[in-house]
Amino acid sequence: MKTYELIAPCHFGLESVLKREITDLGYDVSQVEDGRVTFIGDDEAVCRANIGLRSAERILIKVGSFRAETFDELFENTKQISWEEFIPVDGKFWVAKAASIKSKLFSPSDIQSIMKKAMVERLKEVYHVSWFEEAGQSFPVRVFLMKDQVTVGLDTTGESLHKRGYRKFTAKAPIAENLAAALIMLTPWKHDRILVDPFCGSGTILIEAALMAANIAPGMKRGFTAQRWAHLIDKKVWDDSYEEAREMVDLSVGVEIEGSDIDPQMIHIAQQNARLAGVDHLIKFEEKDVGRLAHKGRYGFIITNPPYGERLEDKAAIPPLYRKLGERFKSLDTWSLYMITSYEGAQQDIGRRADKNRKIYNGMMKTYYYQFMGPRPPRDETGMKKNADRK
């Protein structure tokens, strides 16, 4: 069975989360860089990583790495890659994306065009043809340039891994599913602790938490580009990987996950999304202003993505909103608050300096993940168990 170097891109700032996920899947991480983690695995690893990783963007098979400061060097080095090991004579192939940082070659469109020409020249020589129909399966390629070092990967995923398939309806500024999952994994929350999101929007954070609690693999209900690469990965390997994921599901898990939003339409959307994800029975949604945030339970978690005030017309409403959240959090004296936002006055309006603060890039937007940690519960009191007795 052939072994590959596999590259898993992720949000900048979340590499440690992804590294831990890959290690937990049983694979050796060979390199961690800004925005991506490289690990060693076989064809089964391609399947299991696509189906099981929560914080990754996609899974790439690393097919080449070289230095290029000119387009001639880019062409010749790309041509040296053994593309025929991956792409059959009828394959449809193209450079889907090129990203360049601190490199002499910086035009994505030119990089894509020249690499495509080099691939064509290589495969023409190998397959002894003068023209490719490209009517077969798709083989998208992605390339990263960092300080003139070129890394080339074959995309096994297709649509980004954040597209789990359950979010048919969204809020105005939805948080990506893989980012939401990573934020949860940056906290000590487990399914036997209370979780509340008072700005739940379309429900993404809570749905991702429920998927974790029920051990539902994020990619279990979707397909991937590499499923059609029968010459590289046997269908049985995919079938076995999906079956492994199905066997791990536990829909009977006991959880206390609650979400609220001031907008009734958002509550309706969140409920629909939770139903599509198969976890609607695990989450309680309620139309409610953050000023009414309260809970009888102890040692719970607030994990939330409140409004940032990015639009000019929204800016005046942001400080009072964060002050309300801060007041309600103060009343929950044993709770922890984890909040992602780009709003610079967040700590001031919450009324407390965060215990930890992590910089995370949400797309091109720089945000901060503020972590206000509450006390640890006594060993015999996780929060949910005793709360159940009080209700």
Side-chain angles (χ1 to χ4, degrees):
M1 194 172 288
K2 189 168 183 179
T3 299
Y4 303 105
E5 274 193 281
L6 301 174
I7 304 169
C10 64
H11 285 82
F12 284 91
L14 297 176
E15 298 83 2
S16 63
V17 176
L18 179 54
K19 179 184 177 182
R20 187 170 70 245
E21 273 201 279
I22 291 168
T23 302
D24 288 346
L25 265 186
Y27 301 108
D28 293 329
V29 171
S30 57
Q31 191 173 16
V32 179
E33 303 167 272
D34 286 347
R36 64 184 188 264
V37 178
T38 302
F39 62 105
I40 309 300
D42 54 16
D43 54 355
E44 184 184 67
V46 173
C47 306
R48 295 181 72 235
N50 271 302
I51 294 169
L53 291 178
R54 299 183 188 276
S55 61
E57 291 279 354
R58 59 187 65 251
I59 304 299
L60 310 174
I61 296 175
K62 184 178 178 180
V63 296
S65 181
F66 52 83
R67 189 169 182 82
E69 297 182 13
T70 68
F71 284 120
D72 282 343
E73 290 177 337
L74 180 67
F75 180 92
E76 291 301 330
N77 282 298
T78 301
K79 190 179 175 184
Q80 291 303 310
I81 295 172
S82 300
W83 293 106
E84 65 276 8
E85 292 182 11
F86 303 95
I87 303 173
V89 67
D90 66 341
K92 179 182 179 182
F93 57 95
W94 73 102
V95 181
K97 185 175 181 180
S100 178
I101 300 173
K102 298 178 181 178
S103 298
K104 294 180 179 65
L105 303 178
F106 56 84
S107 167
S109 59
D110 289 337
I111 292 166
Q112 289 169 291
S113 175
I114 285 167
M115 290 186 70
K116 168 74 175 189
K117 289 176 183 176
M119 294 169 69
V120 168
E121 288 304 308
R122 167 80 185 203
L123 293 174
K124 278 168 65 175
E125 292 176 8
V126 171
Y127 290 127
H128 306 293
V129 297
S130 58
W131 181 76
F132 290 97
E133 187 177 356
E134 297 194 53
Q137 299 305 331
S138 296
F139 294 86
V141 173
R142 291 182 171 245
V143 57
F144 312 95
L145 281 77
M146 169 62 79
K147 296 181 180 178
D148 302 318
Q149 186 66 29
V150 183
T151 303
V152 187
L154 195 63
D155 182 8
T156 72
T157 302
E159 277 197 313
S160 172
L161 290 176
H162 82 266
K163 295 190 176 181
R164 322 290 207 210
Y166 67 76
R167 199 166 71 179
K168 304 297 183 185
F169 313 93
T170 62
K172 290 179 182 176
I175 189 170
E177 294 90 326
N178 57 345
L179 175 55
L183 297 182
I184 297 165
M185 288 188 281
L186 282 169
T187 78
W189 179 81
K190 301 296 181 205
H191 73 267
D192 60 351
R193 303 280 292 274
I194 304 162
L195 173 58
V196 173
D197 181 358
F199 301 99
C200 72
S202 54
T204 308
I205 290 174
L206 302 175
I207 292 170
E208 288 297 317
L211 291 173
M212 289 181 197
N215 214 10
I216 298 173
M220 199 174 75
K221 296 182 179 180
R222 57 161 287 177
F224 307 96
T225 298
Q227 282 180 273
R228 295 179 287 278
W229 300 351
H231 63 298
L232 292 176
I233 305 175
D234 192 273
K235 181 178 180 295
K236 187 177 186 306
V237 181
W238 282 105
D239 290 345
D240 289 347
S241 299
Y242 278 111
E243 182 60 28
E244 176 192 32
R246 284 191 290 270
E247 288 176 354
M248 294 173 69
V249 174
D250 178 11
L251 292 175
S252 65
V253 65
V255 292
E256 194 167 339
I257 300 175
E258 300 178 8
S260 58
D261 200 285
I262 196 171
D263 186 345
Q265 184 181 1
M266 284 296 98
I267 295 299
H268 178 64
I269 286 172
Q271 289 170 332
Q272 287 180 293
N273 288 337
R275 194 173 300 114
L276 288 169
V279 294
D280 51 309
H281 66 294
L282 300 178
I283 309 171
K284 177 185 174 184
F285 291 105
E286 182 182 5
E287 179 190 341
K288 185 167 67 177
D289 181 81
V290 67
R292 292 172 50 216
L293 173 64
H295 204 288
K296 294 178 180 178
R298 292 166 61 78
Y299 304 105
F301 288 80
I302 300 168
I303 305 177
T304 191
N305 174 40
Y308 302 171
E310 292 299 317
R311 296 184 303 181
L312 189 62
E313 62 268 29
D314 295 336
K315 286 190 181 295
I318 295 303
L321 197 68
Y322 281 71
R323 284 196 287 270
K324 276 187 189 179
L325 175 60
E327 288 167 6
R328 299 317 306 150
F329 174 53
K330 188 177 180 180
S331 71
L332 297 166
D333 59 350
T334 62
W335 283 51
S336 300
L337 166 63
Y338 293 81
M339 172 180 66
I340 186 170
T341 182
S342 65
Y343 173 50
E344 296 289 344
Q347 293 179 95
Q348 178 182 335
D349 289 330
I350 290 294
R352 172 178 158 186
R353 190 167 185 83
D355 298 293
K356 288 186 179 179
N357 180 10
R358 180 186 286 256
K359 187 191 298 182
I360 297 171
Y361 279 86
N362 186 0
M364 296 303 293
M365 184 188 299
K366 182 172 70 174
T367 63
Y368 293 94
Y369 193 39
Y370 295 105
Q371 302 168 56
F372 304 89
M373 299 176 184
R376 290 185 179 182
R379 287 191 177 184
D380 63 341
E381 184 179 358
T382 61
M384 240 181 64
K385 291 176 183 175
K386 288 203 172 180
N387 296 332
D389 297 335
R390 295 192 187 109
K391 291 181 180 178

